[in-house]
Amino acid sequence: MKTTFTVTAALMLAGVLARPVQAQVDTVRATTLPPAQLAEKLYNSGIAKFNQKSYRAAIQDFDRALATRPDFSKAFYNRAATRYELKEYDQAVQDYDQAIKLEPESFTAYFGRGQARQALNQADAAEQDYTKATELKADYAPAWYYRGDLRFEKGNFKEALADFSAAVKADPAYAYAYHDRGSAQRQLGNYAAAVQDYDQALKLQPELLPALLNRASAKRRAGDLKGALADFSAYLNKVTDNPVAFNNRGSARFDAGDYKGAVADFSQAITLNAGYAFAYNNRAAAHLKLEEYKKAADDASQAIRLNAQYAEAYLNRGHAREMLRDADGACQDWRKAAELGLENGSAYANAACD
């Protein structure tokens, strides 16, 4: 009985503890992705780093993506954009070249290459790229805008006007395009149209302060001195360190007959920029109106020291010297103004000096 019990117990324990024997299965893990997937993963990592402004790290990811997949046009394009941010413009152009070779219909690649070429001062080549971008996508407003910017800088104001108009047609909310179209209108003497464009730019972007300053200048040219002074003052309430704005408000005050106010503005411009020859000459003109002839002569002399070819300053100093009874000095100044091409200088010299 004892022996039987023991055997039976052992069998019962065996039944509880035993496990069926199974064959072992090897686990297979992929250590590398297929090339296309790996390139895409590296590309996405590069984009994320670009968005974080970690540009060097982004470049490394795009390099690795292109090493894995040499025909990856998006990686060339975005590496070019990253190099543009790093101001590596020559290398950016090379990457845009590759992107265009792989995708000849990519208007954004032409636009990006235009930006890089513009940064390299290759204006003609940049203009060609912007033109190609507009041909590939006529409603891409930035291409029109930047081509207009190049044409404006070349002095081709009518062509620039047409481009800025195309930009606002493509994107009616493009405040900068309205602003620059206003500037083209102003250069062409279309002051009322310029004011309207600056109005629209400010409506779309109220903090676009250059539009406020330029609208003031357009209003002054159009004869709206009250409106010009209001705009200049509104600008100077927000920007107090711009000598050009003080000089221009001074000119508007001069036109309005407020010579003391003009002197105050020209003086502030000079305080901000001691080398501002225009402000010295303008203050000399205001002193002449106030019959402060010694001050006028001193200011005109300083303008001439800063710019020896400043014909208007010689003319104004001539007027001041005449009133100070320095006839010889006045004649010398008027003749110098005439020599520099100022017709009024000849008129005064011929009338008073011979």
Side-chain angles (χ1 to χ4, degrees), residues 185-245:
Q185 297 278 23
R186 187 157 58 96
Q187 291 291 338
L188 292 167
N190 304 327
Y191 301 119
V195 168
Q196 290 178 355
D197 278 336
Y198 293 134
D199 286 344
Q200 185 63 22
L202 288 164
K203 180 179 178 181
L204 291 166
Q205 195 168 329
E207 295 307 310
L208 187 58
L209 296 182
L212 187 60
L213 186 60
N214 288 324
R215 187 176 69 181
S217 294
K219 286 179 177 179
R220 179 190 167 216
R221 296 291 184 184
D224 179 10
L225 295 178
K226 183 178 179 180
L229 287 168
D231 279 349
F232 280 130
S233 296
Y235 176 87
L236 288 167
N237 284 337
K238 296 181 179 180
V239 182
T240 60
D241 60 351
N242 187 339
V244 175

Side-chain angles (χ1 to χ4, degrees), residues 10-325:
L11 290 174
M12 289 175 64
L13 289 171
V16 173
L17 297 175
R19 293 288 186 269
V21 178
Q22 296 180 348
Q24 292 187 351
V25 178
D26 290 335
T27 300
V28 180
R29 299 182 186 276
T31 57
T32 59
L33 292 171
Q37 287 181 264
L38 178 59
E40 193 74 31
K41 180 180 179 181
L42 291 166
Y43 168 80
N44 290 334
S45 175
I47 293 294
K49 289 171 182 175
F50 177 91
N51 291 334
Q52 295 166 3
K53 298 185 178 181
S54 299
Y55 298 127
R56 289 295 176 197
I59 290 284
Q60 291 176 357
D61 282 341
F62 294 136
D63 286 346
R64 293 170 63 197
L66 287 165
T68 304
R69 182 182 161 192
D71 63 344
F72 199 171
S73 62
K74 291 191 298 182
F76 277 115
Y77 174 87
N78 284 286
R79 188 172 70 177
T82 308
R83 284 176 164 164
Y84 181 89
E85 293 296 328
L86 292 168
K87 298 183 179 180
E88 297 172 351
Y89 302 123
D90 283 314
Q91 292 172 288
V93 168
Q94 293 172 10
D95 276 345
Y96 282 125
D97 287 344
Q98 291 299 316
I100 290 168
K101 183 177 179 181
L102 292 165
E103 288 190 28
E105 301 302 306
S106 174
F107 70 92
T108 54
Y110 278 103
F111 175 77
R113 190 172 69 179
Q115 294 267 274
R117 284 175 163 173
Q118 187 171 357
L120 289 167
N121 296 316
Q122 299 172 358
D124 291 340
E127 185 172 336
Q128 291 174 6
D129 278 339
Y130 294 142
T131 298
K132 184 65 176 178
T134 63
E135 291 171 355
L136 290 169
K137 189 169 177 58
D139 61 349
Y140 187 54
W144 293 108
Y145 173 78
Y146 280 96
R147 191 176 74 171
D149 177 59
L150 281 176
R151 291 175 167 179
F152 186 96
E153 292 299 319
K154 291 179 180 179
N156 298 333
F157 301 120
K158 287 185 178 180
E159 293 180 358
L161 178 64
D163 280 346
F164 295 138
S165 295
V168 298
K169 180 180 179 181
D171 181 3
Y174 204 156
Y176 285 96
Y178 280 106
H179 173 271
D180 287 12
R181 187 172 74 173
S183 295
Q185 297 278 23
R186 187 157 58 96
Q187 291 291 338
L188 292 167
N190 304 327
Y191 301 119
V195 168
Q196 290 178 355
D197 278 336
Y198 293 134
D199 286 344
Q200 185 63 22
L202 288 164
K203 180 179 178 181
L204 291 166
Q205 195 168 329
E207 295 307 310
L208 187 58
L209 296 182
L212 187 60
L213 186 60
N214 288 324
R215 187 176 69 181
S217 294
K219 286 179 177 179
R220 179 190 167 216
R221 296 291 184 184
D224 179 10
L225 295 178
K226 183 178 179 180
L229 287 168
D231 279 349
F232 280 130
S233 296
Y235 176 87
L236 288 167
N237 284 337
K238 296 181 179 180
V239 182
T240 60
D241 60 351
N242 187 339
V244 175
F246 279 105
N247 177 75
N248 291 353
R249 187 175 71 176
S251 296
R253 284 177 164 172
F254 184 97
D255 292 345
D258 178 10
Y259 303 121
K260 288 185 178 180
V263 166
D265 276 343
F266 296 139
S267 297
Q268 185 61 27
I270 290 165
T271 298
L272 292 168
N273 179 6
Y276 200 172
F278 288 111
Y280 277 106
N281 180 62
N282 289 340
R283 191 170 69 176
H287 283 311
L288 282 171
K289 290 291 188 180
L290 292 168
E291 300 181 1
E292 298 169 346
Y293 303 120
K294 179 63 168 62
K295 290 181 179 179
D298 289 344
D299 275 346
S301 294
Q302 181 61 21
I304 290 166
R305 280 192 286 272
L306 291 166
N307 179 5
Q309 306 301 308
Y310 199 167
E312 289 81 359
Y314 285 104
L315 184 71
N316 284 332
R317 190 171 70 176
H319 295 329
R321 284 177 167 177
E322 179 189 28
M323 300 308 296
L324 292 168
R325 303 297 186 263

